[in-house]
Amino acid sequence: MRAVDIIEKKKHGEHLSREEIDFMVQGYTRDEIPDYQMSAFLMTIYFNGMGKDEIAHLTESFVNSGEQVDLSPIEGIKVDKHSTGGVGDKISLIVIPLVASAGVPVAKMSGRGLGHTGGTIDKLESIEGFRIELSSKEFIDNVNRHKMAIVGQTANLTPADKKIYALRDVTSTIDSIPLIASSIMSKKIASGADAIVLDVKVGSGAFMKTIKEAEKLAETMVGIGKSLNRDTVAVITNMDQPLGNQVGNSNEVKEAIKVLSGHGAEDETTIALTIASHMCVLGGAFGDFDSAYSKLQETIKSGKAIKKLKELISIQGGNPEVVENTDLLPGARNSIDIKSEKDGFVYQIDAESVGISAMLLGAGRRTKEDKIDYGAGITLRKKIGDTVKKGEVLYTLMTNLDDYQDAVERMKEAYVISNEKPETKPYIYNIIK
Ligand code: URA
């Protein structure tokens, strides 16, 4: 087999066999195929797409390129959850204790944030003492005993995807549905999930800018799940503005505590309950979505959900008192209120600009090596559709930096105040199964 012949085939939109896909993926991972041939190959996929079975073979090839986590010592159906990335996205923090309290095991591997999107691991590390490095024995024991544990990605999972993703980033081939879908699903499958719930975000702060694109991505990922025997459900959610009111790390933990205590913002409460309900149905705890949803609402009301979050913090070495006393979480020296310069409605809040501003305040990383300021972040006092009066506070920036002018400037671009009331959009657009 020669790489050039496979590229030629895909250039003409022809169907590739499992062996041909494997030849390209494994050859590139082993440095036997050079960057220029893989770049050309990726571009042919970008323009000509891939069939359903080709995408499944590509996913499998990514999975087989590295280690796979063996979760078989954990009893029950292991259901994982993945978000395609958003701003203020603290849904995992809410969903882990919620699903675990229904008896479904959650063995979660999560990443760190980079650029304008945050990472669950960083948020949890804002809790003093919280350990995200657990031995595999401790991880498995915790899930068996407490139905939940979370670790950072340490195993050598899907090295082919890692190498190809870096190449896609510099060859303008990121925004290809077969490539995104196989990249995401390979990581979930390699981390040992039996079933997967995907939160596919759509809007200004998301990869997918239109509902149609998001549905196509969701259908492709659900199709991969079917081909590889992993029950998969995709929930298409609105990311036209950040979720909830907090963007950062410790302030997002505070907001997750609010949701689990029954006082959360409506958008993230609805999305978290929806995702958790689908996870519980796939995990066999409830027979249908509606009974799962109402049972999980009760779990929040009864105080069981917040108790489960305390348990998670405690078993991973963190101080559980933060749940009752959120002042124990890191804060910021500077708190800057930004006021509206006119009357009107909040018409738009560009989520990506909010994410970038939070990063500039210290809440995120520009490069992988950057250190995070856990107390930095943004509180949104007004959301899309709210009325504002001139002089009312729109948002508050929190930082330990003395020079934060670039974040202020970037935030000014995020908010649009208009005389026109914007149309109300749903939190959830569609469910793809
Ligand atoms: N997230 C991933 O893991 N892979 C992609 O290709 C895009 C988003």
Side-chain angles (χ1 to χ4, degrees):
M1 250 186 244
R2 293 192 317 161
V4 66
D5 299 327
I6 297 170
I7 298 166
E8 174 74 9
K9 244 176 123 174
K10 196 73 230 127
K11 187 176 85 179
H12 293 292
E14 288 176 38
H15 184 273
L16 299 180
S17 68
R18 177 195 288 273
E19 291 71 29
E20 286 166 328
I21 290 170
D22 235 15
F23 178 85
M24 292 302 291
V25 171
Q26 306 308 334
Y28 183 63
T29 312
R30 290 193 298 260
D31 292 328
E32 291 161 12
I33 290 175
D35 282 350
Y36 53 82
Q37 282 188 311
M38 182 49 82
S39 305
F41 182 59
L42 294 171
M43 200 54 95
T44 63
I45 294 175
Y46 179 88
F47 281 114
N48 290 328
M50 279 184 137
K52 210 169 161 230
D53 52 345
E54 288 180 297
I55 298 174
H57 292 150
L58 183 63
T59 308
E60 267 188 304
S61 198
F62 286 164
V63 172
N64 294 334
S65 70
E67 287 172 38
Q68 290 174 50
V69 179
D70 178 14
L71 297 181
S72 60
I74 298 173
E75 300 137 26
I77 302 170
K78 277 77 69 183
V79 189
D80 202 352
K81 171 253 168 202
H82 179 80
S83 157
T84 56
V87 178
D89 183 359
K90 70 271 308 165
I91 298 294
S92 288
L93 298 179
I94 304 163
V95 151
I96 297 169
L98 208 46
V99 173
S101 61
V104 175
V106 189
K108 190 98 193 78
M109 278 199 167
S110 277
R112 296 189 179 280
L114 188 63
H116 77 279
T117 57
T120 302
I121 289 292
D122 295 323
K123 292 168 200 181
L124 284 168
E125 279 188 332
S126 71
I127 302 168
E128 197 196 336
F130 198 99
R131 287 187 302 123
I132 55 97
E133 280 174 27
L134 306 179
S135 69
S136 53
K137 182 177 179 322
E138 193 177 3
F139 181 61
I140 284 167
D141 285 352
N142 281 357
V143 182
N144 274 333
R145 221 170 281 150
H146 303 274
K147 297 292 170 204
M148 59 190 170
I150 181 163
V151 283
Q153 268 163 19
T154 47
N156 178 32
L157 301 182
T158 62
D161 172 63
K162 214 169 279 164
K163 198 168 171 207
I164 288 174
Y165 191 89
L167 190 64
R168 286 167 57 205
D169 206 18
V170 292
T171 56
S172 191
T173 48
I174 289 281
D175 54 340
S176 150
I177 285 179
L179 296 177
I180 297 175
S182 52
S183 166
I184 291 174
M185 289 298 282
S186 65
K187 285 180 284 232
K188 294 288 107 183
I189 292 168
S191 356
D194 297 321
I196 301 156
V197 177
L198 300 160
D199 181 357
V200 180
K201 306 235 173 255
V202 56
S204 65
F207 253 116
M208 298 290 128
K209 304 292 180 205
T210 66
I211 299 172
K212 218 168 149 216
E213 276 177 6
E215 284 174 343
K216 182 91 188 39
L217 176 63
E219 279 159 10
T220 307
M221 291 193 285
V222 169
I224 294 173
K226 281 206 179 96
S227 301
L228 304 182
N229 296 320
R230 304 306 196 279
D231 269 343
T232 304
V233 174
V235 183
I236 305 206
T237 64
N238 184 332
M239 188 31 75
D240 272 334
Q241 60 179 334
L243 271 183
N245 296 85
Q246 303 289 354
V247 179
N249 293 286
S250 67
N251 58 341
E252 288 197 35
V253 171
K254 283 183 199 172
E255 200 165 43
I257 291 170
K258 268 185 151 177
V259 175
L260 288 165
S261 310
H263 313 296
E266 193 180 280
D267 57 351
E268 51 199 8
T269 303
T270 308
I271 292 172
L273 278 167
T274 303
I275 288 171
S277 301
H278 283 293
M279 289 174 77
C280 286
V281 173
L282 291 180
F286 303 107
D288 62 83
F289 175 82
D290 290 342
S291 43
Y293 200 98
S294 60
K295 273 282 182 322
L296 292 178
Q297 277 180 312
E298 260 175 47
T299 304
I300 291 179
K301 245 194 230 150
S302 68
K304 201 171 154 196
I306 192 68
K307 216 167 138 206
K308 202 71 186 164
L309 176 68
K310 269 180 97 169
E311 188 181 323
L312 175 69
I313 296 172
S314 177
I315 58 176
Q316 300 222 188
N319 178 5
E321 284 172 35
V322 297
V323 169
E324 261 98 46
N325 181 5
T326 52
D327 289 344
L328 294 171
L329 288 161
R333 198 158 26 93
N334 301 309
S335 170
I336 310 111
D337 283 337
I338 306 289
K339 296 176 180 160
S340 179
E341 288 167 7
K342 57 181 183 179
D343 292 350
F345 294 98
V346 178
Y347 194 77
Q348 191 182 314
I349 307 175
D350 181 66
E352 188 170 345
S353 295
V354 177
I356 292 171
S357 304
M359 178 189 74
L360 295 171
L361 292 168
R365 298 183 182 82
R366 268 173 260 226
T367 69
K368 271 195 263 184
E369 289 71 35
D370 275 357
K371 264 190 130 19
I372 281 198
D373 174 357
Y374 295 115
I378 300 171
T379 302
L380 308 178
R381 311 276 176 197
K382 297 280 180 182
K383 301 271 317 253
I384 292 179
D386 288 348
T387 49
V388 289
K389 293 249 167 290
K390 185 177 172 188
E392 257 191 299
V393 177
L394 288 175
Y395 47 89
T396 304
L397 309 180
M398 290 150 301
T399 184
N400 288 300
L401 298 173
D402 291 321
D403 180 7
Y404 44 77
Q405 205 47 40
D406 47 356
V408 172
E409 293 307 320
R410 188 73 204 217
M411 257 322 266
K412 277 192 186 149
E413 291 167 22
Y415 265 73
V416 176
I417 310 295
S418 164
N419 290 330
E420 196 186 331
K421 190 169 167 56
E423 63 168 310
T424 309
K425 292 191 182 168
Y427 304 135
I428 296 170
Y429 291 115
N430 201 355
I431 312 281
I432 312 261
K433 291 186 194 185

